[in-house]
Amino acid sequence: MRTKRLAAIFTALLTCASLIVTGCGGKQSASSGESDGGVYKDKIAIGCTTWIGYAPLHLAVEKGFFKDEGLDVEMRVIESAGDIKSAMKAGQIKGMAQTIDTEVMAQSSGINLTEVQPLCNSNGGDGIVAKKAYNSLADLKGKTIALNTTGGASLFWFNTLLEQQGMTMQDFDVKNMSAGDAGSAFVGGQVDAAVTWEPWLSKANKTDFGKTLVTSKQSPGVIVDALCFDKDFAAKNPKTVQAIIKGWHKAVQYAKEHPDEAYPIMAESQHMTVDEFKAQLGNIQYYDEAMTKDYLVGGKMAEMAQKASDLWIKMQLMTEPVKGTDIVDASFFKAALGL
């Protein structure tokens, strides 16, 4: 549930305003700050939406894990993926946290990125809700299904499931709407099914006609958020990127070992109560060192990036293909952990 909150929206407006002040003329140099032996000395802004998958990054800032590495890192909340891309192009942020498929699309649009660390895996937070009469995707053939067809995690995951079943979107009467609106439309009885996320999965289950047909828990590694940086910035400041990766893993480990101290900080970053935050944690998995080795170093992340590129090209949502092994780089993680 990548929920928009008033405070976050206000932050996004401030960010957009700063872009206007900077000017539409173009990108600031990725090396505009002092770099000493691959360590960036100025403030490093990382853009992200409001999403619990990014909470350890906020925790790392608040607990000083990045500062311990000699870095000045700021998490900048920008609720629109388009605005995050604009901020990257303008040099207002050096990195961003988004789903892998979204970052692939950004790369295709001309932003040169390198993905260095998977952050979180959707573990049931995304799903397909349907009327109780339907028990499979095949049962929904010819029925109305609501989902966002403009790109993003829901569309990527849904098409991944369809490919496994030998089906395509042409098998359904698709209604284009955001994931939140899709869930609302289903609960309101306007469509037969919807591709959405929490809390709409739970809300659908509470109706007398709906249920959750399938969730992302059955397809791990497909809906994954990742940390990426401007490729030139990462190349010129490798120790900085390595230090940020270390900070992420320190935060993930700290949250495991000290939840009573970590959860209030993480919850506040998402404008949630601690109870609300805890209730959502079961829907995701944070990438610790072991999971990162398997997914990133093991090549699965590059494979998923390649699948995203292939799908977006096929659906004509991108014109320039992206090679998975070009955008995903495990070397920073391996250097950070001494692998």
Side-chain angles (χ1 to χ4, degrees), residues 16-314:
C16 294
S18 70
L19 293 178
I20 294 171
V21 172
T22 301
C24 302
K27 182 177 178 178
Q28 297 175 352
S29 171
S31 58
S32 60
E34 291 289 333
S35 181
D36 180 12
V39 178
Y40 194 74
K41 296 301 183 181
D42 288 351
K43 184 182 291 292
I44 304 159
I46 299 173
C48 68
T49 54
T50 302
W51 171 230
I52 62 170
Y54 311 141
L57 290 170
H58 296 275
L59 177 64
V61 171
E62 293 301 319
K63 293 298 295 182
F65 297 149
F66 294 135
K67 188 175 292 185
D68 291 344
E69 299 291 333
L71 304 180
D72 181 9
V73 175
E74 172 196 0
M75 293 306 300
R76 191 169 298 177
V77 178
I78 308 171
E79 295 297 354
S80 163
D83 289 342
I84 291 179
K85 286 169 59 178
S86 296
M88 285 289 289
K89 286 182 178 178
Q92 295 295 312
I93 57 177
K94 302 303 182 187
M96 67 179 183
Q98 292 282 277
T99 55
I100 291 173
D101 58 277
T102 300
E103 291 171 351
V104 165
M105 195 172 285
Q107 172 90 339
S108 179
S109 72
I111 304 175
N112 204 15
L113 302 174
T114 182
E115 295 177 327
V116 301
Q117 173 65 50
L119 301 177
C120 72
N121 172 66
S122 181
N123 189 45
D126 299 78
I128 301 174
V129 294
K131 292 180 179 178
K132 291 181 178 179
Y134 309 120
N135 297 309
S136 67
L137 286 173
D139 289 345
L140 287 170
K141 192 170 184 177
K143 307 303 179 182
T144 57
I145 185 166
L147 77 153
N148 186 345
T149 63
T150 63
S154 292
L155 184 63
F156 178 59
W157 176 64
F158 182 56
N159 276 272
T160 300
L161 296 182
L162 294 183
E163 182 181 8
Q164 295 170 353
Q165 298 294 320
M167 302 176 71
T168 70
M169 286 177 57
Q170 282 66 47
D171 290 319
F172 310 92
D173 178 12
V174 175
K175 306 297 182 184
N176 177 33
M177 57 187 76
S178 71
D181 288 343
S184 177
F186 177 79
V187 171
Q190 301 171 33
V191 292
D192 296 310
V195 184
T196 185
W197 49 51
E198 289 289 10
W200 294 106
L201 306 182
S202 297
K203 290 183 178 181
N205 292 335
K206 291 177 181 178
T207 66
D208 57 4
F209 59 85
K211 66 180 180 181
T212 299
L213 188 65
V214 62
T215 76
S216 54
K217 193 168 187 176
Q218 283 75 53
S219 49
V222 177
I223 302 179
V224 175
D225 291 271
L227 178 64
C228 69
F229 289 94
D230 176 280
K231 197 163 192 173
D232 290 339
F233 173 81
K236 293 172 182 176
N237 303 279
K239 292 182 180 178
T240 295
V241 175
Q242 293 165 25
I244 291 173
I245 291 172
K246 288 180 183 178
W248 165 266
H249 288 289
K250 283 183 181 179
V252 170
Q253 191 63 30
Y254 185 85
K256 287 182 181 180
E257 297 175 353
H258 307 283
D260 290 343
E261 291 82 10
Y263 288 177
I265 297 171
M266 297 167 82
E268 184 178 0
S269 76
Q270 305 304 304
H271 311 285
M272 293 179 174
T273 66
V274 173
D275 286 343
E276 288 173 336
F277 181 76
K278 288 180 178 179
Q280 291 294 324
L281 276 181
N283 296 321
I284 66 166
Q285 295 170 305
Y286 292 124
Y287 275 87
D288 58 15
E289 292 182 11
M291 287 178 64
T292 301
K293 287 178 185 177
D294 178 62
Y295 192 69
L296 173 61
V297 180
K300 297 177 183 178
M301 186 168 167
E303 291 175 6
M304 198 54 58
Q306 187 64 58
K307 286 184 179 181
S309 176
D310 293 345
L311 176 63
W312 296 152
I313 291 291
K314 181 179 179 181

